[in-house]
Amino acid sequence: LIQYTMTDQRYHMGYHPFSCEFYIEVVDVEKPEFTKPKPLRACQGKEVGVGEGEQCGGKMITATFNKKTKTNDYPSVSDVSNDCCGPMSCSDFPGSNGMFKWCAPQV
């Protein structure tokens, strides 16, 4: 059972938020066999940089969450430039057009 509740800043939504409940059933006739992915490589010993799957380049969006208004205040965009540790390279994340780069094993 999944329950979804929606609220926003409009008066009637804050006063009477509504909920929806629904079930999701997945039927897979192929009977897949699930395997646990191998652990991501972390920096070892005296290696300097960021590990596998970490952001090494591109852009980062940051903001401060305002608990009172439930909004993101002071958003900003900054450049990211980190070295990857070990035998990895800083590669474009698929579909990001260079806006997000991550450390991936060298192929």
Side-chain angles (χ1 to χ4, degrees), residues 63-107:
T64 303
F65 183 70
N66 185 322
K67 290 181 181 179
K68 184 176 180 183
T69 62
K70 296 183 180 175
T71 58
N72 289 319
D73 294 340
Y74 313 111
S76 65
V77 178
S78 56
D79 291 323
V80 174
S81 179
N82 295 316
D83 291 326
C84 298
C85 63
M88 294 184 285
S89 61
C90 192
S91 306
D92 284 355
F93 188 81
S96 73
N97 297 321
M99 296 296 286
F100 183 86
K101 295 176 183 251
W102 64 341
C103 291
Q106 294 178 351
V107 288

Side-chain angles (χ1 to χ4, degrees), residues 14-60:
Y15 186 69
H16 292 291
F18 63 89
S19 297
C20 297
E21 292 181 351
F22 49 93
Y23 290 93
I24 297 175
E25 180 179 356
V26 177
V27 178
D28 190 336
V29 296
E30 295 176 351
K31 299 190 185 320
E33 207 174 294
F34 295 99
T35 58
K36 185 177 181 179
K38 68 178 183 106
L40 297 177
R41 186 188 187 285
C43 297
Q44 306 292 317
K46 295 183 179 183
E47 291 179 336
V48 177
V50 294
E52 184 178 0
E54 299 285 328
Q55 186 176 6
C56 55
K59 304 287 183 183
M60 178 185 294

